[in-house]
């Protein structure tokens, strides 16, 4: 985000519990909310392969979204 770029440090630290909440919120957000969440998740490093697969399963449906910004954020 612009704040993180300006300050030179991460504004939001994503833990495993925050990750699950953000993934759950994806289905309830507007398109632009999904873009911001997906952009935030792009900086998260999964702990193991199983966690990575879970994230992929939740994000993959966004690749078929009508809004190209959502699709690009999912990539």
């Amino acid at each position: 985000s612009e704040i993180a770029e300006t300050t030179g440090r991460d504004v939001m630290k994503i833990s495993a519990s925050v990750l699950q909440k953000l993934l759950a919120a994806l289905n309830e957000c507007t398109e632009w909310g999904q873009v911001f969440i997906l952009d935030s998740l792009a900086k998260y490093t999964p702990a193991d392969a199983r966690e990575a697969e879970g994230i992929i399963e939740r994000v993959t449906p966004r690749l078929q979204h009508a809004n190209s910004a959502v699709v690009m954020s999912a990539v």
Side-chain angles (χ1 to χ4, degrees), residues 2-5 8-9 20-21 24 28 31-33 36 38 42 46-47 52-55 59 61 71 74-75:
E2 291 178 35
I3 297 171
E5 291 173 7
R9 60 185 173 94
Q20 293 305 317
K21 291 176 185 176
E28 300 172 18
E31 295 172 338
W32 295 110
F36 286 113
L38 291 167
E53 288 176 11
I55 294 169
V59 172
V71 175
V75 174

Side-chain angles (χ1 to χ4, degrees), residues 27-50:
N27 294 331
E28 300 172 18
C29 287
T30 64
E31 295 172 338
W32 295 110
Q34 291 180 35
V35 169
F36 286 113
I37 290 173
L38 291 167
D39 287 346
S40 297
L41 295 180
K43 296 182 180 184
Y44 179 76
T45 304
D48 56 17
R50 185 173 183 220

Side-chain angles (χ1 to χ4, degrees), residues 47-62:
D48 56 17
R50 185 173 183 220
E51 185 179 33
E53 288 176 11
I55 294 169
I56 291 168
E57 288 174 4
R58 302 283 291 273
V59 172
T60 300
R62 304 303 179 280

Side-chain angles (χ1 to χ4, degrees), residues 10-15 18:
D10 289 334
V11 177
M12 181 173 76
K13 177 81 170 152
I14 298 178
S15 64
V18 171

